[in-house]
Amino acid sequence: LAWTPRLKQLRARMAFLRRAEGDEWPDVSDAALADGATQWLAPFVAGARSLAEIGDEKLSAALDALLPWDMRRRLDAEAPTHFPTPAGSQIAIDYESGDEPAIHVRVQELYGLKSHPTLAGGRVKPVLHLLSPAHRPIQTTGDLARFWAGAWSDVKKDMKGRYPRHVWPDDPANAAPTTRAK
């Protein structure tokens, strides 16, 4: 099937919650969907004569039908598509790249955040890929508070030399977040 990026992300979010919370979430792996296609897909593609006739809207409706209303609400709350930073940006959460969700965000947008963000009702900490002002990777962490208290001082020294026009506070957990240079 021709999965669009939006539908791939929906499947990845559902698969993440299945791993995090258990079998109450439907199995949306390729094998499971292929085995059960007559139940979940057939009602939505009746009359289609080729794969080209099965569009994004039909696949989307079929996937949505796998979740009752209360689970759809939980999906949006426990596996959101975006993470709101303290600076006000909405950063896409990557559920497809590995076992744990990942957030690629510029480090200055996390200033003022004292604890690590969580998903799945607080049970899972996404991996934070901290980026420089030029969106280059500088650090990966699974515990933001520990990063602020430990490795931040070394990262700050390096970044201060490379990006002197940006703010590099001594205590980023209590600093104001920013998306701008000085």
Side-chain angles (χ1 to χ4, degrees), residues 4 11 31 36 48 52 56 67 73 86 90 92 102 106 120 158 163 170:
T4 63
R11 284 180 61 198
D56 177 39
L67 294 177
R73 262 195 6 248
Q90 294 288 327
R106 288 186 303 161
D158 186 39
Y163 304 98
D170 292 330

Side-chain angles (χ1 to χ4, degrees), residues 82-163:
H82 290 78
F83 166 69
T85 68
S89 301
Q90 294 288 327
I91 307 295
I93 301 173
D94 180 7
Y95 292 94
E96 298 175 53
S97 63
D99 289 337
E100 298 298 324
I103 302 172
H104 300 263
V105 59
R106 288 186 303 161
V107 71
Q108 296 91 346
E109 295 188 50
L110 297 179
Y111 293 168
L113 192 60
K114 292 174 179 42
S115 61
H116 199 88
T118 60
L119 300 169
R123 289 182 296 282
V124 177
K125 290 182 176 183
V127 176
L128 292 177
H129 295 268
L130 304 176
L131 308 175
S132 71
H135 294 275
R136 293 188 180 107
I138 57 174
Q139 186 78 26
T140 301
T141 184
D143 188 348
L144 187 63
R146 212 160 118 203
F147 170 73
W148 288 149
W152 170 250
S153 60
D154 293 333
V155 170
K156 178 185 75 164
K157 287 177 195 171
D158 186 39
M159 291 294 105
K160 210 174 203 179
R162 288 185 188 180
Y163 304 98

